[in-house]
């Protein structure tokens, strides 16, 4: 694995689970606060932080797989938007697949969008280290004897 691909995977592994957990925490505790749960600001922030850290338990494997796939397709991406779009699709697919493999198909509808959001944030964070290329496959020429 080349250094730029390894760095891309490490960015996805470090940033992705935390981002997914924080977004999930904002959704869960934000909905609870808006529904009249009476949650105090300290409880709200503590809950969001704990879900952010708990994101590493569930999200580490999908983040690493998404990072490897995103690094692989990075050379074919023509611009930043296309790479971020591919990363979002890969993040949603791998997060949903992970919940299906764990036997929780109902969670796939919740975790797939979280995986997409986390992959876009990771993609933005990895812009400086992602593998680059012009998107064209390597040329193979056959020389004939003159």
């Amino acid at each position: 694995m080349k250094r730029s691909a390894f760095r891309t995977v490490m960015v996805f592994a470090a940033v992705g689970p935390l981002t997914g957990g924080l977004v999930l925490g904002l959704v869960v505790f934000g909905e609870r606060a808006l529904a009249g749960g009476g949650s105090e600001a300290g409880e709200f922030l503590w809950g969001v932080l704990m879900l952010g850290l708990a994101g590493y338990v569930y999200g580490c494997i999908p983040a690493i797989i998404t990072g490897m796939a995103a690094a692989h397709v990075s050379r074919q991406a023509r611009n930043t938007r296309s790479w971020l779009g591919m990363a979002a699709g890969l993040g949603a697919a791998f997060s949903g697949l992970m919940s299906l493999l764990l036997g929780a198909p109902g969670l796939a509808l919740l975790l797939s969008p979280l995986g997409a959001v986390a992959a876009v944030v990771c993609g933005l964070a990895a812009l400086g280290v992602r593998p680059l290329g012009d998107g064209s496959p390597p040329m193979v020429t056959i020389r004939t004897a003159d």
Side-chain angles (χ1 to χ4, degrees), residues 1-123:
M1 181 182 293
K2 294 192 179 211
R3 185 177 302 185
S4 58
F6 178 75
R7 288 179 180 165
T8 301
V9 173
M10 290 298 101
V11 168
F12 273 75
V15 176
L18 180 63
T19 303
L22 287 175
V23 171
L24 179 62
L26 287 174
V27 169
V28 169
F29 287 99
E31 188 274 332
R32 182 175 160 198
L34 290 175
S39 120
E40 297 177 11
E43 182 182 338
F44 172 76
L45 292 175
W46 182 253
V48 170
L49 179 64
M50 286 298 105
L51 273 177
L53 294 176
Y56 282 102
V57 174
Y58 172 80
C60 191
I61 293 172
I64 290 172
I65 295 170
T66 302
M68 290 184 339
H72 180 72
V73 301
S74 179
R75 295 188 191 281
Q76 287 78 29
R78 298 283 183 209
N79 56 32
T80 301
R81 273 192 253 159
S82 64
W83 187 62
L84 292 175
M86 286 189 276
L90 292 167
F94 291 128
S95 294
L97 181 64
M98 188 69 175
S99 60
L100 291 175
L101 291 175
L102 291 175
L107 283 179
L109 293 174
L110 173 68
L111 297 179
S112 289
L114 292 177
V117 169
V120 169
V121 171
C122 290

